[in-house]
């Protein structure tokens, strides 16, 4: 069966891009990356794409007079590459309404919190400051309002009393690298539909365990 063609916009480190590259390298994985776009020429993720022989493109947002013009250039490049699904991976630009509607239900994002809690930036510190006992990560379809849209997969990560933003981010990142390829796989297998802004997954199996933090102490 033909593989789902992915474009991955990045702005930096690209560890989630790497997780997608690694997943796509597995023979049975139903997707392939056809283009990596960065708005920054020095993004580390570009080296990861080069090492995997994936075409890259730098589109510097500063060279465009409007967000719409920059987004239109991205759409042009991604269409030319035959993109069927956009996987935002640490892409640090807000997207125009036009771009979001053009790629409606064909664009996903990964965010390092359990949405709808803790949208925006510095979310690990925000979760710690709020005293939450769990945070985690979310893969969701993209809507024009930042960090909203139908949720496809989430991973819950416990917060320890001695966590700081870095230790928590590190533990969440491990889960990001698991759930991002998993969400792509579900979509590529045609198992995800959106009904009334909820993602419904064919053959969805919930874990049987429930996590409690702190763990109940036996008597
Ligand atoms: C990740 O934490 C992701 O959830 C967020 O931006 C960060 C990107 O990291 N959207 P990387 O570039 O994938 O390493």
């Amino acid at each position: 069966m033909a593989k789902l063609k992915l474009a991955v916009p990045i702005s930096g480190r690209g560890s989630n891009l790497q997780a997608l590259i690694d997943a796509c390298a597995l023979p049975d994985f139903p997707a392939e990356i056809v283009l990596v776009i960065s708005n920054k020429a020095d993004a580390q993720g570009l080296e990861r794409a080069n090492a995997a022989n994936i075409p890259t493109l730098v589109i510097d947002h500063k060279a465009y007079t409007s967000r719409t013009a920059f987004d239109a250039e991205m759409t042009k490049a991604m269409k030319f590459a035959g993109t069927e699904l956009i996987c935002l991976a640490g892409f640090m630009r807000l997207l125009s309404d036009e771009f979001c509607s053009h790629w409606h239900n064909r664009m996903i994002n990964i965010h390092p919190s359990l949405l709808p809690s803790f949208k925006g930036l510095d979310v690990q510190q925000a979760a710690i400051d709020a005293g939450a006992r769990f945070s985690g990560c979310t893969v969701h379809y993209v809507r024009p309002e930042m960090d909203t849209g139908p949720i496809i997969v989430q991973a819950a990560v416990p917060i320890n009393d001695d966590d700081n933003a870095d230790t928590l981010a590190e533990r969440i990142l491990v889960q990001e690298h698991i759930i991002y390829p998993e969400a792509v796989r579900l979509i590529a297998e045609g198992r995800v539909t959106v009904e009334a802004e909820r993602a419904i997954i064919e053959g969805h199996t919930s874990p049987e365990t429930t996590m409690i933090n702190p763990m109940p102490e036996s008597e």
Side-chain angles (χ1 to χ4, degrees):
M1 216 174 94
K3 297 196 177 214
L4 188 74
K5 293 183 165 55
L6 314 177
V8 186
I10 59 166
S11 296
R13 180 177 60 182
S15 71
N16 279 288
L17 164 66
Q18 188 67 56
L20 294 174
I21 290 172
D22 293 346
C24 290
L26 301 172
D28 291 342
F29 195 75
E32 61 180 334
I33 303 174
V34 294
L35 181 63
V36 170
I37 294 187
S38 175
N39 65 315
K40 302 227 159 136
D42 61 353
Q44 192 196 336
L46 289 170
E47 291 162 32
R48 299 177 189 268
N50 288 334
N53 289 317
I54 296 166
T56 60
L57 186 64
V58 175
I59 307 181
D60 181 358
H61 60 275
K62 294 197 287 300
Y64 293 81
T65 48
S66 70
R67 191 179 298 285
T68 325
F70 170 73
D71 287 358
E73 194 62 29
M74 290 221 301
T75 290
K76 199 170 118 192
M78 289 190 289
K79 274 182 155 175
F80 187 73
T83 304
E84 296 170 301
L85 180 72
I86 299 176
C87 303
L88 301 174
F91 184 64
M92 302 301 284
R93 301 291 306 161
L94 291 174
L95 299 163
S96 61
D97 289 2
E98 291 89 338
F99 188 84
C100 292
S101 60
H102 183 87
W103 295 99
H104 188 79
N105 290 349
R106 295 187 296 152
M107 173 162 57
I108 61 177
N109 180 46
I110 181 138
H111 179 78
S113 79
L114 286 178
L115 291 174
S117 292
F118 307 117
K119 296 172 180 165
L121 297 173
D122 298 326
V123 290
Q124 292 88 353
Q125 191 60 52
I128 291 169
D129 291 347
R133 291 289 180 196
F134 287 99
S135 189
C137 44
T138 303
V139 180
H140 63 99
Y141 282 109
V142 174
R143 297 293 183 258
E145 200 185 324
M146 190 178 52
D147 300 328
T148 63
I151 291 168
I152 305 160
V153 187
Q154 292 186 307
V157 174
I159 299 178
N160 303 329
D161 285 345
D162 61 358
D163 262 329
N164 58 46
D166 291 338
T167 58
L168 180 58
E170 204 177 311
R171 288 208 314 289
I172 291 174
L173 197 63
V174 174
Q175 302 306 316
E176 293 185 37
H177 299 162
I178 295 169
I179 69 167
Y180 212 5
E182 178 61 12
V184 169
R185 188 178 66 79
L186 291 169
I187 293 169
E189 289 175 353
R191 293 168 57 190
V192 185
T193 49
V194 177
E195 292 171 22
E197 287 301 87
R198 272 184 85 198
I200 308 295
I201 298 166
E202 194 192 311
H204 173 134
T205 313
S206 293
E208 283 183 12
T209 47
T210 298
M211 287 202 295
I212 304 174
N213 187 22
M215 287 277 282
E217 291 168 11
S218 47
E219 294 181 9

